[in-house]
Amino acid sequence: MTIVDSADELGRRDRKKLETRAALEHAALTLVAERGLAAVTVEDIAEAVDVSSRTFFNYFPSKEDALIGPGPASAAELRAKLEAVPAEVPVLEALRLITRSELERVQERPEQWMLRLRVYEQNPSLLPKLVSSGSEAEQVVMAAVARRCGVEPGTTGYPELATGAALVAVRVAMTRWSAAGGRLALTDLADEAFAQLAAGLPNP
Amino acid sequence: MTIVDSADELGRRDRKKLETRAALEHAALTLVAERGLAAVTVEDIAEAVDVSSRTFFNYFPSKEDALIGPGPASAAELRAKLEAVPAEVPVLEALRLITRSELERVQERPEQWMLRLRVYEQNPSLLPKLVSSGSEAEQVVMAAVARRCGVEPGTTGYPELATGAALVAVRVAMTRWSAAGGRLALTDLADEAFAQLAAGLPNP
DNA sequence: GCAAAAATTTCAGGATCTGCAATGTTTCAG
DNA sequence: CTGAAACATTGCAGATCCTGAAATTTTTGC
Protein backbone atom coordinates (compact mmCIF):
# COMPACT_ATOMS: atom_id res chain seq x y z
CA MET A 1 0.00 0.00 0.00
CA THR A 2 1.76 3.08 -1.23
CA ILE A 3 1.45 6.32 0.63
CA VAL A 4 0.66 8.29 -2.52
CA ASP A 5 -2.18 6.80 -4.48
CA SER A 6 -2.01 6.90 -8.22
CA ALA A 7 -4.12 9.66 -9.64
CA ASP A 8 -6.88 7.38 -10.91
CA GLU A 9 -7.21 5.39 -7.73
CA LEU A 10 -10.56 6.64 -6.62
CA GLY A 11 -13.24 5.32 -4.37
CA ARG A 12 -16.26 3.57 -5.77
CA ARG A 13 -18.25 6.76 -5.49
CA ASP A 14 -16.02 8.91 -7.67
CA ARG A 15 -15.49 6.10 -10.11
CA LYS A 16 -19.23 5.86 -10.61
CA LYS A 17 -19.48 9.60 -11.06
CA LEU A 18 -16.89 9.58 -13.81
CA GLU A 19 -18.66 6.65 -15.42
CA THR A 20 -21.98 8.40 -15.37
CA ARG A 21 -20.53 11.59 -16.77
CA ALA A 22 -18.79 9.73 -19.56
CA ALA A 23 -21.94 7.76 -20.33
CA LEU A 24 -24.00 10.94 -20.51
CA GLU A 25 -21.46 12.57 -22.81
CA HIS A 26 -21.36 9.54 -25.02
CA ALA A 27 -25.12 9.17 -25.20
CA ALA A 28 -25.51 12.86 -25.97
CA LEU A 29 -22.95 12.73 -28.76
CA THR A 30 -24.26 9.62 -30.46
CA LEU A 31 -27.90 10.63 -30.20
CA VAL A 32 -27.25 14.11 -31.57
CA ALA A 33 -25.07 12.67 -34.32
CA GLU A 34 -27.96 10.44 -35.34
CA ARG A 35 -30.91 12.78 -35.03
CA GLY A 36 -29.60 16.33 -34.80
CA LEU A 37 -29.49 18.66 -31.84
CA ALA A 38 -33.10 19.79 -31.93
CA ALA A 39 -34.50 16.26 -32.12
CA VAL A 40 -32.80 15.09 -28.94
CA THR A 41 -34.19 16.09 -25.57
CA VAL A 42 -32.43 15.95 -22.25
CA GLU A 43 -34.88 13.26 -21.27
CA ASP A 44 -33.76 11.13 -24.20
CA ILE A 45 -30.15 11.38 -23.10
CA ALA A 46 -30.95 10.65 -19.47
CA GLU A 47 -33.10 7.70 -20.42
CA ALA A 48 -30.35 6.22 -22.58
CA VAL A 49 -28.12 6.18 -19.50
CA ASP A 50 -30.99 5.22 -17.21
CA VAL A 51 -30.84 8.14 -14.86
CA SER A 52 -33.38 10.83 -14.16
CA SER A 53 -33.26 14.01 -16.21
CA ARG A 54 -32.68 15.86 -13.00
CA THR A 55 -29.45 13.95 -12.64
CA PHE A 56 -28.38 15.08 -16.07
CA PHE A 57 -28.55 18.64 -14.86
CA ASN A 58 -26.46 17.72 -11.84
CA TYR A 59 -23.67 16.92 -14.28
CA PHE A 60 -24.16 19.51 -17.01
CA PRO A 61 -25.73 22.94 -16.81
CA SER A 62 -27.28 22.58 -20.26
CA LYS A 63 -27.81 20.13 -23.06
CA GLU A 64 -25.08 21.78 -25.10
CA ASP A 65 -22.54 21.45 -22.35
CA ALA A 66 -22.74 17.68 -22.56
CA LEU A 67 -21.49 17.94 -26.14
CA ILE A 68 -18.67 20.40 -25.64
CA GLY A 69 -16.22 18.07 -24.04
CA PRO A 70 -13.41 18.85 -21.68
CA GLY A 71 -12.08 22.31 -22.30
CA PRO A 72 -8.51 23.22 -21.58
CA ALA A 73 -7.04 21.42 -18.59
CA SER A 74 -7.45 24.31 -16.21
CA ALA A 75 -6.99 28.02 -16.42
CA ALA A 76 -4.26 27.97 -13.79
CA GLU A 77 -2.39 25.24 -15.64
CA LEU A 78 -2.54 27.16 -18.88
CA ARG A 79 -1.19 30.21 -17.19
CA ALA A 80 1.65 28.28 -15.63
CA LYS A 81 2.56 26.69 -18.94
CA LEU A 82 2.63 30.03 -20.68
CA GLU A 83 4.80 31.54 -18.00
CA ALA A 84 7.19 28.62 -18.26
CA VAL A 85 8.06 29.56 -21.82
CA PRO A 86 11.22 31.71 -21.90
CA ALA A 87 10.60 35.39 -22.43
CA GLU A 88 12.69 35.51 -25.60
CA VAL A 89 10.23 33.27 -27.40
CA PRO A 90 7.80 35.37 -29.44
CA VAL A 91 4.24 35.45 -28.16
CA LEU A 92 2.75 33.64 -31.10
CA GLU A 93 5.27 30.86 -30.79
CA ALA A 94 4.55 30.60 -27.07
CA LEU A 95 0.85 30.31 -27.82
CA ARG A 96 1.59 27.60 -30.35
CA LEU A 97 3.52 25.64 -27.75
CA ILE A 98 0.84 25.72 -25.08
CA THR A 99 -1.94 24.82 -27.50
CA ARG A 100 0.13 21.92 -28.74
CA SER A 101 -0.22 19.93 -25.55
CA GLU A 102 -3.96 20.52 -25.54
CA LEU A 103 -4.18 19.28 -29.10
CA GLU A 104 -2.12 16.23 -28.28
CA ARG A 105 -4.74 15.29 -25.74
CA VAL A 106 -7.38 15.66 -28.41
CA GLN A 107 -5.39 13.52 -30.78
CA GLU A 108 -5.26 10.71 -28.24
CA ARG A 109 -9.00 10.11 -28.46
CA PRO A 110 -9.58 10.32 -32.20
CA GLU A 111 -12.95 8.56 -32.44
CA GLN A 112 -14.48 10.57 -29.64
CA TRP A 113 -13.25 13.88 -30.97
CA MET A 114 -14.07 13.21 -34.58
CA LEU A 115 -17.58 12.33 -33.51
CA ARG A 116 -17.72 15.52 -31.52
CA LEU A 117 -16.43 17.58 -34.41
CA ARG A 118 -18.91 16.00 -36.79
CA VAL A 119 -21.66 17.00 -34.39
CA TYR A 120 -20.32 20.53 -34.41
CA GLU A 121 -20.29 20.69 -38.20
CA GLN A 122 -23.85 19.49 -38.41
CA ASN A 123 -25.08 21.84 -35.69
CA PRO A 124 -23.43 25.18 -36.38
CA SER A 125 -25.13 26.78 -33.42
CA LEU A 126 -22.53 24.95 -31.34
CA LEU A 127 -19.56 26.27 -33.31
CA PRO A 128 -19.05 29.42 -31.27
CA LYS A 129 -18.52 27.18 -28.27
CA LEU A 130 -15.86 25.01 -29.89
CA VAL A 131 -13.22 27.42 -28.71
CA SER A 132 -15.45 29.69 -26.76
CA SER A 133 -14.40 33.29 -26.78
CA GLY A 134 -14.99 34.98 -23.49
CA SER A 135 -14.29 31.80 -21.59
CA GLU A 136 -12.29 31.89 -18.42
CA ALA A 137 -9.44 30.12 -20.17
CA GLU A 138 -9.23 32.78 -22.84
CA GLN A 139 -9.27 35.53 -20.25
CA VAL A 140 -6.45 33.95 -18.31
CA VAL A 141 -4.30 33.36 -21.37
CA MET A 142 -4.95 36.90 -22.56
CA ALA A 143 -3.88 38.33 -19.22
CA ALA A 144 -0.72 36.24 -19.27
CA VAL A 145 0.07 37.44 -22.79
CA ALA A 146 -0.38 41.01 -21.65
CA ARG A 147 2.03 40.47 -18.79
CA ARG A 148 4.54 38.82 -21.07
CA CYS A 149 4.47 41.83 -23.38
CA GLY A 150 4.57 44.34 -20.57
CA VAL A 151 1.34 45.89 -21.82
CA GLU A 152 -1.64 46.98 -19.83
CA PRO A 153 -4.53 44.74 -20.87
CA GLY A 154 -7.15 46.64 -22.78
CA THR A 155 -4.91 49.43 -24.02
CA THR A 156 -3.19 48.17 -27.15
CA GLY A 157 -5.46 45.30 -28.08
CA TYR A 158 -2.42 43.18 -28.86
CA PRO A 159 -3.04 40.50 -26.23
CA GLU A 160 -6.67 40.16 -27.28
CA LEU A 161 -5.72 39.97 -30.92
CA ALA A 162 -2.93 37.44 -30.48
CA THR A 163 -5.01 35.23 -28.20
CA GLY A 164 -8.03 35.42 -30.46
CA ALA A 165 -5.96 34.63 -33.52
CA ALA A 166 -4.43 31.63 -31.77
CA LEU A 167 -7.89 30.31 -30.96
CA VAL A 168 -8.90 30.70 -34.57
CA ALA A 169 -5.82 28.74 -35.59
CA VAL A 170 -6.80 25.96 -33.22
CA ARG A 171 -10.35 25.94 -34.49
CA VAL A 172 -9.24 25.78 -38.11
CA ALA A 173 -6.80 23.00 -37.36
CA MET A 174 -9.46 20.93 -35.64
CA THR A 175 -11.95 21.45 -38.42
CA ARG A 176 -9.42 20.42 -41.06
CA TRP A 177 -8.40 17.42 -38.97
CA SER A 178 -11.99 16.33 -38.80
CA ALA A 179 -12.50 16.90 -42.51
CA ALA A 180 -9.41 14.87 -43.31
CA GLY A 181 -10.77 11.98 -41.26
CA GLY A 182 -7.74 12.09 -38.99
CA ARG A 183 -5.34 11.19 -41.79
CA LEU A 184 -3.26 14.25 -41.00
CA ALA A 185 -1.65 14.99 -37.65
CA LEU A 186 -3.62 17.56 -35.74
CA THR A 187 -0.47 19.15 -34.39
CA ASP A 188 0.94 19.53 -37.91
CA LEU A 189 -2.22 21.27 -39.03
CA ALA A 190 -2.00 23.61 -36.07
CA ASP A 191 1.67 24.33 -36.79
CA GLU A 192 0.73 25.20 -40.33
CA ALA A 193 -1.97 27.59 -39.20
CA PHE A 194 0.33 29.29 -36.72
CA ALA A 195 2.98 29.61 -39.41
CA GLN A 196 0.51 31.37 -41.68
CA LEU A 197 -0.39 33.73 -38.86
CA ALA A 198 3.24 34.47 -38.13
CA ALA A 199 3.84 35.17 -41.80
CA GLY A 200 1.06 37.75 -41.80
CA LEU A 201 -1.47 35.67 -43.72
CA PRO A 202 0.09 36.28 -47.13
CA ASN A 203 -1.93 35.28 -50.15
CA PRO A 204 -1.32 31.60 -50.79
CA MET B 1 -44.70 62.31 -57.25
CA THR B 2 -41.52 60.56 -58.19
CA ILE B 3 -41.60 57.17 -59.79
CA VAL B 4 -38.91 55.77 -57.51
CA ASP B 5 -39.70 56.31 -53.89
CA SER B 6 -36.86 57.06 -51.55
CA ALA B 7 -35.75 54.01 -49.64
CA ASP B 8 -37.25 55.07 -46.35
CA GLU B 9 -40.62 56.05 -47.77
CA LEU B 10 -42.66 53.25 -46.34
CA GLY B 11 -46.30 52.81 -45.59
CA ARG B 12 -47.63 53.28 -42.12
CA ARG B 13 -47.53 49.55 -41.57
CA ASP B 14 -43.84 49.05 -42.23
CA ARG B 15 -43.01 52.20 -40.37
CA LYS B 16 -44.74 50.85 -37.30
CA LYS B 17 -42.99 47.55 -37.65
CA LEU B 18 -39.63 49.24 -37.66
CA GLU B 19 -40.70 51.31 -34.70
CA THR B 20 -41.78 48.28 -32.73
CA ARG B 21 -38.59 46.44 -33.55
CA ALA B 22 -36.47 49.39 -32.53
CA ALA B 23 -38.48 49.83 -29.35
CA LEU B 24 -38.03 46.17 -28.45
CA GLU B 25 -34.31 46.37 -29.11
CA HIS B 26 -34.02 49.51 -27.04
CA ALA B 27 -36.05 48.13 -24.17
CA ALA B 28 -34.06 44.92 -24.19
CA LEU B 29 -30.75 46.77 -24.15
CA THR B 30 -31.62 49.22 -21.41
CA LEU B 31 -33.28 46.64 -19.21
CA VAL B 32 -30.39 44.22 -19.51
CA ALA B 33 -27.89 47.00 -18.94
CA GLU B 34 -29.69 47.83 -15.72
CA ARG B 35 -30.44 44.40 -14.32
CA GLY B 36 -28.31 41.89 -16.19
CA LEU B 37 -29.37 39.30 -18.73
CA ALA B 38 -30.71 36.71 -16.31
CA ALA B 39 -32.90 39.16 -14.45
CA VAL B 40 -34.81 40.30 -17.52
CA THR B 41 -37.54 38.11 -18.97
CA VAL B 42 -39.04 38.35 -22.40
CA GLU B 43 -42.25 39.39 -20.73
CA ASP B 44 -40.48 42.33 -19.11
CA ILE B 45 -39.26 43.50 -22.47
CA ALA B 46 -42.61 43.04 -24.16
CA GLU B 47 -44.38 44.81 -21.33
CA ALA B 48 -42.03 47.78 -21.54
CA VAL B 49 -43.08 48.20 -25.15
CA ASP B 50 -46.68 47.28 -24.40
CA VAL B 51 -47.00 44.32 -26.71
CA SER B 52 -47.65 40.68 -25.96
CA SER B 53 -44.69 38.43 -25.40
CA ARG B 54 -45.76 36.40 -28.38
CA THR B 55 -45.21 39.49 -30.50
CA PHE B 56 -41.68 39.71 -29.22
CA PHE B 57 -41.04 36.30 -30.71
CA ASN B 58 -42.52 37.44 -34.00
CA TYR B 59 -39.65 39.90 -34.19
CA PHE B 60 -36.79 37.97 -32.61
CA PRO B 61 -36.23 34.23 -32.39
CA SER B 62 -34.77 34.53 -28.91
CA LYS B 63 -34.13 36.97 -26.12
CA GLU B 64 -30.47 37.21 -27.06
CA ASP B 65 -31.24 38.10 -30.64
CA ALA B 66 -32.88 41.31 -29.51
CA LEU B 67 -29.54 42.38 -28.07
CA ILE B 68 -27.30 41.42 -30.96
CA GLY B 69 -28.21 44.22 -33.27
CA PRO B 70 -28.13 44.33 -37.03
CA GLY B 71 -25.43 42.04 -38.29
CA PRO B 72 -23.70 42.67 -41.57
CA ALA B 73 -25.89 44.25 -44.19
CA SER B 74 -26.56 41.04 -46.07
CA ALA B 75 -24.53 38.07 -47.05
CA ALA B 76 -25.03 38.78 -50.75
CA GLU B 77 -23.93 42.36 -50.31
CA LEU B 78 -20.78 41.31 -48.49
CA ARG B 79 -19.96 38.89 -51.24
CA ALA B 80 -20.47 41.53 -53.89
CA LYS B 81 -18.29 44.00 -52.06
CA LEU B 82 -15.52 41.51 -51.67
CA GLU B 83 -15.64 40.60 -55.33
CA ALA B 84 -15.52 44.27 -56.27
CA VAL B 85 -12.06 44.59 -54.77
CA PRO B 86 -9.40 44.15 -57.48
CA ALA B 87 -7.67 40.79 -57.48
CA GLU B 88 -4.23 42.33 -56.94
CA VAL B 89 -5.22 43.52 -53.48
CA PRO B 90 -4.09 41.03 -50.84
CA VAL B 91 -6.83 39.10 -49.12
CA LEU B 92 -6.29 40.62 -45.71
CA GLU B 93 -6.43 44.12 -47.16
CA ALA B 94 -9.62 43.23 -49.01
CA LEU B 95 -11.13 41.99 -45.77
CA ARG B 96 -10.12 45.21 -44.08
CA LEU B 97 -11.88 47.21 -46.76
CA ILE B 98 -15.17 45.38 -46.57
CA THR B 99 -15.28 45.43 -42.79
CA ARG B 100 -14.57 49.14 -42.85
CA SER B 101 -17.97 50.07 -44.24
CA GLU B 102 -19.66 47.88 -41.66
CA LEU B 103 -17.74 49.59 -38.91
CA GLU B 104 -18.61 52.99 -40.29
CA ARG B 105 -22.26 52.11 -39.84
CA VAL B 106 -21.53 51.17 -36.24
CA GLN B 107 -19.72 54.43 -35.68
CA GLU B 108 -22.74 56.37 -36.82
CA ARG B 109 -24.79 55.27 -33.82
CA PRO B 110 -22.29 55.60 -31.01
CA GLU B 111 -24.68 55.68 -28.03
CA GLN B 112 -26.63 52.66 -29.21
CA TRP B 113 -23.53 50.61 -29.94
CA MET B 114 -21.66 51.58 -26.82
CA LEU B 115 -24.67 50.54 -24.81
CA ARG B 116 -24.75 47.29 -26.69
CA LEU B 117 -21.06 46.68 -26.15
CA ARG B 118 -21.38 47.42 -22.47
CA VAL B 119 -24.11 44.82 -22.28
CA TYR B 120 -21.80 42.37 -24.01
CA GLU B 121 -19.00 43.02 -21.57
CA GLN B 122 -21.26 42.50 -18.60
CA ASN B 123 -22.84 39.35 -20.01
CA PRO B 124 -19.98 37.33 -21.45
CA SER B 125 -22.30 34.57 -22.54
CA LEU B 126 -23.23 36.89 -25.38
CA LEU B 127 -19.65 37.47 -26.52
CA PRO B 128 -19.46 34.55 -28.92
CA LYS B 129 -22.33 36.13 -30.80
CA LEU B 130 -20.68 39.53 -31.15
CA VAL B 131 -19.06 38.39 -34.33
CA SER B 132 -20.74 35.05 -34.59
CA SER B 133 -18.57 32.38 -36.06
CA GLY B 134 -20.51 29.95 -38.14
CA SER B 135 -22.93 32.60 -39.21
CA GLU B 136 -24.13 32.76 -42.78
CA ALA B 137 -22.16 35.95 -43.29
CA GLU B 138 -18.92 34.30 -42.26
CA GLN B 139 -19.62 31.32 -44.50
CA VAL B 140 -20.22 33.55 -47.49
CA VAL B 141 -17.13 35.66 -46.92
CA MET B 142 -15.05 32.57 -46.42
CA ALA B 143 -16.27 31.08 -49.67
CA ALA B 144 -15.51 34.32 -51.48
CA VAL B 145 -12.01 34.38 -50.02
CA ALA B 146 -11.48 30.83 -51.20
CA ARG B 147 -12.53 31.77 -54.71
CA ARG B 148 -10.29 34.81 -54.68
CA CYS B 149 -7.31 32.65 -53.77
CA GLY B 150 -8.19 29.92 -56.21
CA VAL B 151 -8.29 27.38 -53.38
CA GLU B 152 -10.81 24.68 -52.73
CA PRO B 153 -12.56 25.58 -49.48
CA GLY B 154 -11.70 23.16 -46.74
CA THR B 155 -8.38 21.99 -48.13
CA THR B 156 -5.78 24.50 -47.07
CA GLY B 157 -7.56 26.19 -44.22
CA TYR B 158 -6.34 29.55 -45.46
CA PRO B 159 -9.79 31.06 -46.14
CA GLU B 160 -11.07 29.95 -42.75
CA LEU B 161 -8.02 31.31 -41.03
CA ALA B 162 -8.00 34.67 -42.81
CA THR B 163 -11.73 35.18 -42.32
CA GLY B 164 -11.59 34.15 -38.70
CA ALA B 165 -8.63 36.40 -38.02
CA ALA B 166 -10.43 39.32 -39.63
CA LEU B 167 -13.41 38.75 -37.37
CA VAL B 168 -11.15 38.73 -34.36
CA ALA B 169 -9.67 42.02 -35.52
CA VAL B 170 -13.15 43.50 -35.75
CA ARG B 171 -14.09 42.21 -32.33
CA VAL B 172 -10.95 43.61 -30.75
CA ALA B 173 -11.45 46.96 -32.41
CA MET B 174 -15.01 47.20 -31.16
CA THR B 175 -14.06 46.22 -27.65
CA ARG B 176 -11.29 48.81 -27.54
CA TRP B 177 -13.62 51.41 -29.01
CA SER B 178 -16.10 50.71 -26.27
CA ALA B 179 -13.42 50.78 -23.59
CA ALA B 180 -12.13 54.09 -24.88
CA GLY B 181 -15.62 55.56 -24.63
CA GLY B 182 -15.61 56.33 -28.32
CA ARG B 183 -12.76 58.80 -28.03
CA LEU B 184 -10.86 56.91 -30.72
CA ALA B 185 -12.13 56.28 -34.23
CA LEU B 186 -13.41 52.75 -34.61
CA THR B 187 -12.03 52.50 -38.11
CA ASP B 188 -8.57 53.54 -36.94
CA LEU B 189 -8.62 50.87 -34.28
CA ALA B 190 -9.61 48.30 -36.87
CA ASP B 191 -6.86 49.46 -39.22
CA GLU B 192 -4.39 49.04 -36.42
CA ALA B 193 -5.55 45.51 -35.70
CA PHE B 194 -5.40 44.54 -39.37
CA ALA B 195 -1.91 46.02 -39.61
CA GLN B 196 -0.78 43.86 -36.70
CA LEU B 197 -2.24 40.80 -38.39
CA ALA B 198 -0.54 41.62 -41.67
CA ALA B 199 2.76 42.06 -39.85
CA GLY B 200 2.44 38.57 -38.38
CA LEU B 201 1.59 39.66 -34.84
CA PRO B 202 5.17 40.56 -33.89
CA ASN B 203 5.85 41.17 -30.24
CA PRO B 204 5.00 44.77 -29.47
C1' DG C 1 -66.74 51.85 -46.95
C1' DC C 2 -65.15 47.04 -47.85
C1' DA C 3 -62.70 43.07 -48.57
C1' DA C 4 -58.02 41.17 -48.69
C1' DA C 5 -53.56 41.13 -46.41
C1' DA C 6 -50.92 41.43 -42.53
C1' DA C 7 -49.92 42.06 -37.63
C1' DT C 8 -51.20 41.13 -32.97
C1' DT C 9 -53.10 38.49 -29.51
C1' DT C 10 -54.71 34.52 -26.97
C1' DC C 11 -54.17 29.90 -25.88
C1' DA C 12 -52.24 25.38 -25.39
C1' DG C 13 -48.24 22.89 -24.79
C1' DG C 14 -43.43 21.00 -25.06
C1' DA C 15 -38.75 21.79 -23.49
C1' DT C 16 -35.14 23.77 -20.62
C1' DC C 17 -33.38 24.58 -16.17
C1' DT C 18 -33.52 25.57 -10.92
C1' DG C 19 -34.59 25.02 -5.96
C1' DC C 20 -35.99 21.96 -2.39
C1' DA C 21 -37.05 18.09 0.26
C1' DA C 22 -36.97 13.09 0.44
C1' DT C 23 -34.56 8.93 -0.39
C1' DG C 24 -30.89 6.08 -1.32
C1' DT C 25 -25.66 4.93 -1.37
C1' DT C 26 -20.92 5.32 0.00
C1' DT C 27 -17.61 6.29 3.29
C1' DC C 28 -15.33 6.27 7.55
C1' DA C 29 -14.66 6.34 12.44
C1' DG C 30 -15.30 3.82 16.46
C1' DC D 1 -19.79 -4.53 12.25
C1' DT D 2 -22.48 -0.52 12.95
C1' DG D 3 -24.11 3.95 13.05
C1' DA D 4 -23.71 8.53 11.52
C1' DA D 5 -22.08 11.87 8.36
C1' DA D 6 -21.43 12.90 3.53
C1' DC D 7 -22.84 12.69 -0.81
C1' DA D 8 -25.56 11.28 -5.05
C1' DT D 9 -29.92 10.55 -7.00
C1' DT D 10 -34.63 11.39 -7.50
C1' DG D 11 -39.35 13.41 -7.73
C1' DC D 12 -41.81 17.48 -7.75
C1' DA D 13 -43.18 22.26 -8.24
C1' DG D 14 -42.49 26.09 -10.85
C1' DA D 15 -40.41 29.87 -13.73
C1' DT D 16 -38.97 30.76 -18.24
C1' DC D 17 -38.32 30.01 -23.10
C1' DC D 18 -40.14 29.22 -27.51
C1' DT D 19 -43.58 27.33 -31.10
C1' DG D 20 -47.86 26.31 -33.64
C1' DA D 21 -52.59 27.42 -34.61
C1' DA D 22 -56.69 29.86 -34.47
C1' DA D 23 -59.15 34.15 -33.28
C1' DT D 24 -59.03 39.15 -33.42
C1' DT D 25 -57.68 43.66 -34.74
C1' DT D 26 -55.33 46.91 -37.79
C1' DT D 27 -53.78 48.51 -42.24
C1' DT D 28 -54.06 48.82 -47.01
C1' DG D 29 -55.66 49.22 -51.78
C1' DC D 30 -59.59 49.76 -54.33
Side-chain angles (χ1 to χ4, degrees), chain A residues 23-38:
Chain A
L24 284 171
E25 266 183 33
H26 184 257
L29 278 172
T30 51
L31 285 177
V32 172
E34 282 168 14
R35 306 186 210 159
L37 184 60

Side-chain angles (χ1 to χ4, degrees), chain B residues 13 17 50-52 54-55 58-59:
Chain B
R13 170 138 73 207
K17 272 190 80 164
D50 200 37
V51 294
S52 75
R54 186 64 180 84
T55 295
N58 288 336
Y59 282 89

Side-chain angles (χ1 to χ4, degrees), chain A residues 29-100:
Chain A
L29 278 172
T30 51
L31 285 177
V32 172
E34 282 168 14
R35 306 186 210 159
L37 184 60
V40 175
T41 70
V42 169
E43 205 174 344
D44 292 336
I45 302 171
E47 221 155 66
V49 182
D50 200 38
V51 295
S52 75
S53 15
R54 186 63 183 84
T55 295
F56 175 93
F57 286 110
N58 287 337
Y59 282 90
F60 303 99
S62 80
K63 185 168 66 171
E64 283 78 13
D65 282 294
L67 302 167
I68 294 196
S74 91
E77 197 176 323
L78 277 184
R79 181 189 151 153
K81 268 188 193 157
L82 188 51
E83 281 168 353
V85 180
E88 311 87 70
V89 179
V91 165
L92 207 53
E93 175 68 5
L95 288 170
R96 183 182 75 83
L97 290 172
I98 65 166
T99 54
R100 174 174 270 268

Side-chain angles (χ1 to χ4, degrees), chain B residues 70-106:
Chain B
S74 91
E77 198 176 321
L78 276 184
R79 181 189 151 152
K81 268 188 193 156
L82 188 52
E83 282 168 351
V85 180
E88 311 88 67
V89 179
V91 164
L92 206 55
E93 174 68 6
L95 287 170
R96 184 183 73 84
L97 291 172
I98 66 166
T99 54
R100 174 173 269 269
S101 51
E102 300 291 327
L103 291 179
E104 277 165 356
R105 282 221 312 273
V106 169

Side-chain angles (χ1 to χ4, degrees), chain B residues 12-137:
Chain B
R12 182 189 327 289
R13 170 138 73 207
D14 302 83
R15 232 178 309 131
K16 277 201 165 181
K17 272 190 80 164
L18 289 184
E19 247 175 64
T20 305
R21 165 176 285 266
L24 284 172
E25 265 183 36
H26 184 256
L29 279 174
T30 51
L31 285 177
V32 172
E34 282 167 16
R35 303 187 212 159
L37 184 59
V40 175
T41 70
V42 169
E43 204 174 344
D44 293 335
I45 302 170
E47 223 155 64
V49 182
D50 200 37
V51 294
S52 75
S53 15
R54 186 64 180 84
T55 295
F56 175 92
F57 287 110
N58 288 336
Y59 282 89
F60 303 99
S62 80
K63 186 168 68 170
E64 283 79 13
D65 283 295
L67 301 167
I68 295 195
S74 91
E77 198 176 321
L78 276 184
R79 181 189 151 152
K81 268 188 193 156
L82 188 52
E83 282 168 351
V85 180
E88 311 88 67
V89 179
V91 164
L92 206 55
E93 174 68 6
L95 287 170
R96 184 183 73 84
L97 291 172
I98 66 166
T99 54
R100 174 173 269 269
S101 51
E102 300 291 327
L103 291 179
E104 277 165 356
R105 282 221 312 273
V106 169
Q107 223 169 1
E108 281 167 14
R109 305 224 179 318
E111 336 72 22
Q112 186 188 348
W113 273 100
M114 305 264 304
L115 177 58
R116 207 191 298 282
L117 291 170
R118 215 172 329 134
V119 165
Y120 271 80
E121 275 177 51
Q122 286 163 7
N123 306 86
S125 68
L126 293 171
L127 255 182
K129 299 205 170 192
L130 177 49
V131 172
S132 67
S133 49
S135 74
E136 196 207 347

Side-chain angles (χ1 to χ4, degrees), chain A residues 114-188:
Chain A
M114 305 264 304
L115 177 58
R116 207 191 299 282
L117 291 169
R118 214 171 331 131
V119 165
Y120 272 79
E121 274 176 49
Q122 286 161 10
N123 305 88
S125 68
L126 294 172
L127 255 182
K129 301 205 169 190
L130 176 49
V131 174
S132 68
S133 48
S135 73
E136 196 206 347
E138 177 171 0
Q139 293 307 112
V140 166
V141 170
M142 204 206 66
V145 168
R147 225 170 306 118
R148 164 178 282 259
C149 304
V151 199
E152 288 300 306
T155 57
T156 69
Y158 178 85
E160 293 86 347
L161 192 60
T163 308
L167 290 185
V168 170
V170 169
R171 200 181 66 208
V172 168
M174 290 183 74
T175 313
R176 284 186 73 193
W177 182 64
S178 165
R183 281 182 296 279
L184 303 171
L186 177 53
T187 45
D188 288 348

